[in-house]
Amino acid sequence: MAFQDFDLISERRRNEKRQKMRKRIMIGVVSSVVLVGMIGAVLFIVVKNDDTGNSNNKNSKESGKAQKNHTPTNTANNPHVTVSDKIVKLVCSTADYKDRCEEPLNKAIQNDPKLSQPKELLKLYVKLAEDEINKAFNKTVSMNFQSEEEKGAFEDCKKLFEDAKDDIATSISHLAQTEVKKVSEKIPDFNSWLSAVITFQQDCVDGFPEGNVKTEVQTGFKDSMEFISNSLAILSQVASAITTTGQQNLSARGRLLLSQNPIANNSPLDSLDKTDGLPSWINHEDRRVLKAMDNKPEPNVTVAKDGSGKFKTISEALNAIPQSFTGRYVIYVKEGVYDEQVTVTKKMQNITIYGDGSQKSIITGNKNYRDGVRTFLTASFVVEGDAFLGMAMGFRNTAGPEGHQAVAARVQADRAVFANCRFEGYQDTLYTQAHRQFYRSCIVTGTIDFIFGDAAVVFQNCIMIVRKPMDGQQNMVTAQGRKDKQQATGIVLQKCTIKADDSLVPEKDKIRSYLGRPWKEYSRTIVMESEIGDFINPDGWTAWMGDFALNTLYYAEYANTGPGASTSARVKWPGYKVINKDEASKFTVGTFLKGTWLQSTGVPAVQGLIN
């Protein structure tokens, strides 16, 4: 490493002026690194220092003036400025808004040289992004909303802003607490949190009706969104730097794939805990649940409409969870149709809800856009609490195709998992809103955009059933909402079956059905190793409006089968691709979701490609 080389040289030249030599060698090392692109060597020259530097928040107000202080005289007389400038350029090299990236960081380093450590630069920049989010929200507070639609949209915005601020605050907190050598282990978390911050802001904008107010709100969010985008870019560079210097190589860590799981692989039991037959890596809190997974987990409480349980409604059971409870809280829902709007709040983490079957234990509702309810509020079931696990449950919105946007379930929880569940609706059935989500052996039914949102989500071994829409409508299975290319989000359908409902079959030649359309500029959807029915239009995909997003989206297919899988007549958009095995591997559970966290749920998940 560069730092070790410097020590050796210093030792041999101990009789020379040590400080002068340090500066010369530092400049030489950095220059060489810049030429060969070894970003990690530059960034971690100072990584062994104590990583407790504090960001200087007041710098954000003067960030636009930072470059004025970088004069040739200062650079010549102060080698640290030269080193810092190059570090900042490297850290910001993949940012889309470079001026907004480089200027604040250069200014901050001038005021506090300790901030040249990569982790401190990242922490500082995310803090600047937090300041921009607060400014954006303050702008909306001062706006004058006239119509009921605008007032309602602003109420949704307040909730979404709280979610955004929670995620960015969590990022800052974890950056402060995480040792430099362990930052790579947290990269998937940071990607999820920061990507969601963009999502929540865009959701706020989308809630307003078209017009001047919506344009004003969108303009007000421009700075904060660009700062978060740059934060994600810096995060990527810091991760690359850590990998390059060998501090912590996440990509080289052995992932615990399903094929390495003794239970799934029917391997010898040497790797299992002899006391209960479960792998030793299963944490204590989940062990109780997994021991009974083949039958039914032991519930903390039971919900039953007939009064045979402790509660008659699911909402009552959720609201009664003791605040002091730690570990996984399990709610068993007996057979019945529960007509209630259920919300698993952000405070309700590590919750399991399971039923007697996806067509027996059902949560239902009929809120819809036609009746004046904003899409954000139409969901029969909402999950906000992290690490949620749903099994053998049904979720319905019965508004029908006439209700237009009518959500059965809205999921924004991080590390949310659904297994053997059923989501029934027409337009906008399943809103995979944000963070990381996994669906295994589930059924989703609908017509228009019936799987939509901006989460990083994988559907594995699921069935998508396309229903008959209203006259004059078309079907789109997905509508992915990635707003910024730095976001670690997308929809992946792996080893799924995409089929026509019985009601659609007689009309399949008259009604056009597609795999998806781009809701936002960088929409990303991958369909791989799946069976596609003959009712899917040969184009495969359809536009949202005109040529919107056709150059920037990423739509890909790999190794699909069935009569609708031929790619010979697919769209010719720049963003559409038929990908190879290596590219497809990037969107598997293990890589795209960093899915080792799924192992503790007991839900089977193939971490790589299936075939």
Side-chain angles (χ1 to χ4, degrees), residues 130 133-134 137-138 158-172 197 200 346:
E130 182 183 47
I133 288 175
N134 289 328
F137 180 67
N138 291 337
K158 288 192 286 188
K159 167 68 169 62
L160 290 162
F161 261 107
E162 288 304 315
D163 294 336
K165 289 191 284 187
D166 282 350
D167 274 347
I168 199 164
T170 300
S171 299
I172 294 170
V197 173
F200 293 140
K346 292 185 75 171

Side-chain angles (χ1 to χ4, degrees), residues 11 186 404:
E11 186 67 23
K186 299 293 293 184
H404 300 289

Side-chain angles (χ1 to χ4, degrees), residues 348-541:
M348 300 173 183
Q349 300 190 2
N350 296 304
I351 304 297
T352 292
I353 297 180
Y354 77 93
D356 286 324
S358 64
Q359 298 192 77
K360 292 182 178 180
S361 300
I362 299 166
I363 297 172
T364 189
N366 64 357
K367 294 183 183 297
N368 62 86
Y369 185 79
R370 176 200 58 196
D371 292 343
V373 181
R374 299 183 300 280
T375 305
F376 185 72
L377 300 179
T378 61
S380 305
F381 183 65
V382 177
V383 185
E384 298 175 349
D386 291 347
F388 174 83
L389 174 58
M391 300 182 296
M393 290 289 300
F395 309 96
R396 288 179 182 168
N397 191 308
T398 60
E402 300 82 10
H404 300 289
Q405 293 95 327
V407 178
R410 175 171 67 84
V411 184
Q412 74 171 64
D414 195 20
R415 292 170 288 113
V417 179
F418 290 84
N420 300 315
C421 290
R422 187 180 183 97
F423 304 85
E424 296 183 28
Y426 284 84
Q427 183 172 349
D428 292 0
T429 303
L430 177 55
Y431 188 1
T432 56
Q433 185 181 3
H435 295 119
R436 292 165 290 187
Q437 303 176 25
F438 179 70
Y439 297 75
R440 173 78 183 199
S441 302
C442 292
I443 295 174
V444 190
T445 74
T447 55
I448 300 171
D449 307 336
F450 65 91
I451 299 173
F452 75 109
D454 193 26
V457 54
V458 175
F459 293 85
Q460 197 173 86
N461 286 57
C462 292
I463 301 174
M464 286 72 193
I465 301 177
V466 184
R467 308 173 92 169
K468 180 183 176 182
M470 292 193 298
D471 291 343
Q473 291 183 332
Q474 300 177 341
N475 290 318
M476 283 71 66
V477 176
T478 65
Q480 206 280 327
R482 186 165 166 250
K483 173 69 176 176
D484 189 283
K485 71 177 182 181
Q486 302 288 355
Q487 288 179 280
T489 59
I491 294 173
V492 179
L493 310 184
Q494 183 187 22
K495 200 62 176 178
C496 292
T497 299
I498 303 169
K499 60 185 292 187
D501 183 68
D502 290 343
S503 64
L504 178 62
V505 171
E507 308 289 335
K508 65 182 182 180
D509 294 330
K510 301 176 184 178
I511 298 171
R512 292 192 174 191
S513 299
Y514 300 93
L515 296 174
R517 61 174 178 167
W519 184 21
K520 300 298 176 188
E521 289 89 334
Y522 292 92
S523 181
R524 180 161 62 180
T525 303
I526 298 88
V527 181
M528 59 189 192
E529 302 182 302
S530 295
E531 182 177 347
I532 303 174
D534 64 356
F535 69 100
I536 292 295
N537 188 279
D539 287 350
W541 311 82

Side-chain angles (χ1 to χ4, degrees), residues 147-184:
S147 70
E148 291 303 315
E149 280 185 287
E150 292 171 355
K151 292 176 182 177
F154 179 62
E155 289 302 311
D156 293 343
C157 268
K158 288 192 286 188
K159 167 68 169 62
L160 290 162
F161 261 107
E162 288 304 315
D163 294 336
K165 289 191 284 187
D166 282 350
D167 274 347
I168 199 164
T170 300
S171 299
I172 294 170
S173 173
H174 280 261
L175 278 169
Q177 297 170 16
T178 304
E179 297 178 20
V180 171
K181 64 182 180 179
K182 295 185 177 181
V183 167
S184 282

Side-chain angles (χ1 to χ4, degrees), residues 171-411:
S171 299
I172 294 170
S173 173
H174 280 261
L175 278 169
Q177 297 170 16
T178 304
E179 297 178 20
V180 171
K181 64 182 180 179
K182 295 185 177 181
V183 167
S184 282
E185 295 177 359
K186 299 293 293 184
I187 293 295
D189 294 333
F190 294 134
N191 269 325
S192 179
W193 296 326
L194 294 175
S195 293
V197 173
I198 293 178
T199 300
F200 293 140
Q201 291 182 86
Q202 186 59 45
D203 288 345
C204 172
V205 174
D206 290 340
F208 286 90
E210 295 297 330
N212 294 334
V213 170
K214 182 173 184 175
T215 301
E216 186 178 353
V217 171
Q218 190 159 18
T219 301
F221 292 174
K222 182 176 182 294
D223 291 350
S224 59
M225 285 194 179
E226 290 180 359
F227 266 81
I228 294 297
S229 175
N230 283 348
S231 297
L232 285 163
I234 294 172
L235 178 66
S236 174
Q237 291 299 87
V238 170
S240 175
I242 295 174
T243 299
T244 301
T245 58
Q247 294 290 325
Q248 184 74 16
N249 189 341
L250 184 63
S251 63
R253 290 179 69 233
R255 294 191 182 93
L256 185 60
L257 306 183
L258 184 64
S259 60
Q260 296 171 308
N261 181 338
I263 293 178
N265 208 31
N266 294 319
S267 300
L269 299 180
D270 295 343
S271 300
L272 300 180
D273 187 314
K274 296 297 192 294
T275 60
D276 58 12
L278 291 174
S280 57
W281 42 261
I282 297 291
N283 65 59
H284 175 74
E285 299 296 340
D286 286 325
R287 190 170 293 272
R288 174 179 59 85
V289 176
L290 301 186
K291 285 170 66 176
M293 187 61 73
D294 288 339
N295 298 304
K296 292 180 179 180
E298 179 184 348
N300 295 88
V301 294
T302 298
V303 178
K305 289 194 71 173
D306 60 11
S308 60
K310 185 173 183 179
F311 301 100
K312 290 187 176 181
T313 71
I314 301 167
S315 296
E316 287 175 331
L318 287 168
N319 292 332
I321 296 174
Q323 292 186 357
S324 60
F325 185 86
T326 58
R328 181 160 288 277
Y329 195 85
V330 181
I331 299 174
Y332 166 44
V333 180
K334 283 190 173 182
E335 181 174 353
V337 178
Y338 297 82
D339 189 355
E340 53 175 313
Q341 193 167 32
V342 177
T343 299
V344 180
T345 69
K346 292 185 75 171
K347 294 181 179 180
M348 300 173 183
Q349 300 190 2
N350 296 304
I351 304 297
T352 292
I353 297 180
Y354 77 93
D356 286 324
S358 64
Q359 298 192 77
K360 292 182 178 180
S361 300
I362 299 166
I363 297 172
T364 189
N366 64 357
K367 294 183 183 297
N368 62 86
Y369 185 79
R370 176 200 58 196
D371 292 343
V373 181
R374 299 183 300 280
T375 305
F376 185 72
L377 300 179
T378 61
S380 305
F381 183 65
V382 177
V383 185
E384 298 175 349
D386 291 347
F388 174 83
L389 174 58
M391 300 182 296
M393 290 289 300
F395 309 96
R396 288 179 182 168
N397 191 308
T398 60
E402 300 82 10
H404 300 289
Q405 293 95 327
V407 178
R410 175 171 67 84
V411 184

Side-chain angles (χ1 to χ4, degrees), residues 115-134:
L115 291 175
S116 60
Q117 296 186 44
K119 180 190 144 182
E120 297 306 319
L121 286 176
L122 176 59
K123 186 171 69 173
L124 166 71
Y125 199 84
V126 175
K127 186 66 178 71
L128 294 176
E130 182 183 47
D131 294 341
E132 292 299 325
I133 288 175
N134 289 328

